Amino acid sequence: MAEKTERDQFDDLTPGGERRGVHRAPKRRGAGFVPFAWAALATGVLVVGGVGTLIVTSDSISMKDFESIFALPTAAASATPKATAAPTVDPASVVNVLNATGETGIATAVGDQIAAEGWTVGAKSNASETAEKTFIYYGNPTLEGAARGLAQTLGYGEIKLTDKYIESSAQLTLVVGQDHAG
């Protein structure tokens, strides 16, 4: 014979009621963050491990590449004076003169002026754009003395080592800016 159990509240369910089966508690707020945090941690570990493996196994990457990124600031070394070449007039150095003032005739006038001082002048032309300052460009460090000599001859202008005008036939390129002493 079957055992008889006492009746309780679950025995009196109305037919067609909405509640059926096992009922779960509502999800806690922020419960989706925990799986995301674990996934982010796993991704970070894998990336760091992969980069570390590449550094160890690759000959092209070394820890020295990363030293500049993570280097602590160091005390500035005492400034040592940079050796500069003495200004010289070098007639063997050809000087191209470019007018960047926006006025007409400046390249010719400045070219004639430096030719009278012993410089060999190449092309005299207008620059493609205007400039506020006058620059003397040289492409080889051995020409620094000649560039300084040209600046001294003019009485104005800054010298710059650059390969910007290296394709020209001249050793020096004078770009006369709007600070031209006229």
Side-chain angles (χ1 to χ4, degrees), residues 52-138:
T53 302
L54 281 175
I55 289 172
V56 170
T57 60
S58 175
D59 291 336
S60 63
I61 301 174
S62 70
M63 287 305 287
K64 294 201 181 282
D65 297 334
F66 297 102
E67 284 180 2
S68 63
I69 297 171
F70 300 110
L72 296 173
T74 58
S78 62
T80 57
K82 185 179 177 185
T84 57
T88 60
V89 176
D90 185 6
S93 295
V94 177
V95 180
N96 283 345
V97 181
L98 299 177
N99 175 10
T101 64
E103 301 174 27
T104 58
I106 300 296
T108 303
V110 172
D112 293 345
Q113 173 192 349
I114 62 174
E117 297 286 334
W119 292 92
T120 304
V121 178
K124 295 181 260 184
S125 180
N126 290 325
S128 58
E129 53 190 42
T130 60
E132 289 185 29
K133 296 177 105 182
T134 298
F135 287 101
I136 300 155
Y137 296 104
Y138 61 103

Side-chain angles (χ1 to χ4, degrees), residues 10-22:
F10 297 107
D11 293 329
D12 296 330
L13 289 175
T14 60
E18 293 182 39
R19 297 184 66 153
R20 297 179 194 266
V22 178

